Amino acid sequence: MITDARVLRTGFVPREVEHRDAEVTHLTEVLAPLTDGDPADTTLLLGPSGVGKTCLAKYTAEQLRQEVLDVEYQYVNCWQNFSEFRTLYRILEGLGKTIDIHRQSTPRDELFERLRTYDGPPCVVILDEADQLEQKRLLYTLHELPQFSMLLIANRERELFANADERLTSRLTGCERVRFDRYDSAELVSIMDARVKRGLEENAVERDQLATIADAAAGDARVALSVLRTAARQAHQSYESRITDEIVEASIPEARAERHEKDVDTLTPHQHTLYEIIEDHDAISPSELYEEYRERTDDPKTDRTVRNYLSKMDQYDVIEAEGTSRDRTYRSVSETFDRIE
Ligand SMILES: Nc1ncnc2c1ncn2[C@@H]1O[C@H](COP(=O)(O)OP(=O)(O)OP(=O)(O)O)[C@@H](O)[C@H]1O
């Protein structure tokens, strides 16, 4: 059944991306100055979840690295490395510049200094979920340094600029933007089909079944591939020679639940506390939520940071099993926040 499990994994960067020619061309043009040794403009990649922003950023940077030997790229997920120190550390670590740096005691300015004095090959820095960075000074610094070219990935521009000061906002408002729309069903089918050809035995899944998965995924390739992976694994474990319709039907909620669990695993301790409070209530007002969070936490974040977390959590309701109370709570909390803003 499964001939190459790697190609079904979420983090897999395919050799060819499907249906994103215009976006690939745009990004390649943005990065073109690097082929002559010049820095590229800072670029924002914007769009909802699962539309290929991360995949295309990595793919284009990889293509460039194959074309120009003397170029580096570093990828950091700011959702997991939300503090300035952690993101800086990850970039320097990738560049082999963290010798002698102690996570507890090295001052942040020392890390910034290492970034400024970096004299290796030009480097493309991909900051995924860049809106989650708590402090945005790092963006300003990277934007100013000619050794680095930044690709900033976020769902919405508004969140990316949320706690940026005027200096940074004025720098970034003029930068390049690549916008991504949701896929339609036929596009999702061909994204899955390319993986099926490389990762599953022939005739393991029918096109109609891929269409059913695509409809359930509602434009999100991450969800579509996750359902496909769950179905293939299920068929494999049941010694089926092909994926049955029943397996497809069962895999849709299962993949959503699995995805949700993984998302919860990636929450930071503060985000986790918020998540737990929301879980404990059928509905909760933003002020009650913030109060309870302050009570449960020794070093609470500001109200604004908390709102930022919540708007991020709101995304999970898209992939959450339909109609659970948690789902509704997320929606009501973040909608209320939206109304306040
Ligand atoms: N055009 C494409 N061709 C092939 N695979 C794709 C394409 N778009 C997305 N994928 C695959 O779909 C999955 C989700 O894509 P990706 O992580 O790039 O989405 P995203 O827009 O960055 O979403 P998120 O905001 O949730 O991180 C990945 O496994 C990726 O490889």
Side-chain angles (χ1 to χ4, degrees):
M1 164 66 54
I2 300 174
T3 53
D4 186 353
R6 277 176 325 133
V7 305
L8 298 174
R9 292 198 189 120
T10 309
F12 178 77
V13 181
R15 249 187 268 153
E16 294 302 329
V17 296
E18 313 279 326
H19 300 294
R20 287 294 192 214
D21 290 352
E23 292 81 358
V24 171
T25 307
H26 191 165
L27 263 181
T28 309
E29 280 167 8
V30 166
L31 297 180
L34 285 157
T35 55
D36 298 323
D38 297 320
D41 284 340
T42 294
T43 303
L44 313 185
L45 282 70
L46 302 163
S49 193
V51 292
K53 304 180 296 296
T54 310
C55 171
L56 257 78
K58 287 184 176 174
Y59 171 83
T60 332
E62 187 55 46
Q63 295 282 101
L64 180 74
R65 194 156 65 174
Q66 283 174 21
E67 201 181 310
V68 188
L69 285 180
D70 217 14
V71 169
E72 280 275 352
Y73 87 83
Q74 294 301 328
Y75 169 87
V76 183
N77 187 317
C78 303
W79 175 243
Q80 285 148 3
N81 300 279
F82 58 94
S83 75
E84 186 175 62
F85 190 97
R86 283 172 71 158
T87 297
L88 249 172
Y89 187 90
R90 287 267 166 259
I91 297 169
L92 290 168
E93 187 179 46
L95 296 170
K97 301 283 177 197
T98 42
I99 302 160
D100 302 336
I101 288 186
H102 301 288
R103 278 164 178 262
Q104 308 305 332
S105 56
T106 306
R108 237 186 294 179
D109 286 348
E110 168 62 28
L111 269 72
F112 271 106
E113 196 46 33
R114 293 208 185 182
L115 208 60
R116 286 195 190 94
T117 54
Y118 169 74
D119 59 359
C123 178
V124 178
V125 176
I126 303 171
L127 296 182
D128 206 347
E129 318 229 16
D131 52 307
Q132 292 301 309
L133 262 184
E134 278 185 346
Q135 299 99 354
K136 304 274 164 66
R137 178 173 59 148
L138 174 61
L139 303 186
Y140 187 82
T141 307
L142 283 168
H143 181 76
E144 297 292 295
L145 291 174
Q147 312 90 298
F148 297 98
S149 303
M150 253 196 313
L151 300 182
L152 297 176
I153 303 178
N155 295 121
R156 281 178 293 231
E157 200 162 326
R158 189 172 65 125
E159 281 144 20
L160 186 60
F161 291 131
N163 55 350
D165 62 16
E166 246 175 66
R167 201 175 54 147
L168 178 63
T169 311
S170 74
R171 291 287 193 287
L172 294 188
T173 38
C175 69
E176 282 286 331
R177 283 159 180 73
V178 185
R179 298 183 197 278
F180 292 72
D181 290 328
R182 288 194 178 281
Y183 292 110
D184 64 29
S185 281
E187 289 171 337
L188 286 182
V189 167
S190 58
I191 289 173
M192 285 186 281
D193 197 40
R195 307 286 171 109
V196 166
K197 289 203 172 85
R198 290 202 49 202
L200 300 185
E201 276 168 9
E202 230 180 306
N203 302 323
V205 60
E206 284 166 26
R207 226 172 156 81
D208 280 359
Q209 294 173 322
L210 295 184
T212 305
I213 299 175
D215 287 345
D220 185 329
R222 182 187 294 275
V223 174
L225 289 170
S226 168
V227 175
L228 178 65
R229 185 174 56 245
T230 308
R233 206 167 44 203
Q234 184 57 52
H236 189 76
Q237 281 163 1
S238 323
Y239 303 102
E240 298 276 2
S241 60
R242 50 179 56 203
I243 294 172
T244 62
D245 289 348
E246 292 70 33
I247 291 178
V248 170
E249 287 306 326
S251 298
I252 293 169
E254 200 181 311
R256 282 177 175 155
E258 188 187 311
R259 166 87 206 276
H260 177 75
E261 232 168 75
K262 282 206 182 122
D263 284 332
V264 171
D265 282 349
T266 65
L267 297 181
T268 65
H270 286 276
Q271 292 158 351
H272 213 273
T273 305
L274 286 166
Y275 174 77
E276 279 172 0
I277 299 170
I278 293 171
E279 285 266 282
D280 289 349
H281 293 76
D282 279 342
I284 185 164
S285 75
S287 54
E288 281 169 338
L289 174 67
Y290 189 64
E291 257 329 292
E292 196 160 334
Y293 158 77
R294 274 177 33 145
E295 278 166 24
R296 289 198 200 184
T297 320
D298 291 336
D299 54 340
K301 304 277 177 194
T302 62
D303 190 21
R304 183 169 249 313
T305 311
V306 168
R307 286 184 202 190
N308 207 12
Y309 286 165
L310 287 165
S311 69
K312 191 72 203 171
M313 279 187 185
D314 185 34
Q315 282 187 23
Y316 297 146
D317 66 16
V318 179
I319 48 132
E320 177 83 39
E322 273 173 30
T324 65
S325 64
R326 196 184 317 144
D327 213 18
R328 284 196 295 276
T329 315
Y330 277 154
R331 213 168 279 147
S332 68
V333 168
S334 69
E335 274 170 7
T336 318
F337 274 129
D338 269 355
R339 277 204 298 277
I340 295 172
E341 284 200 326

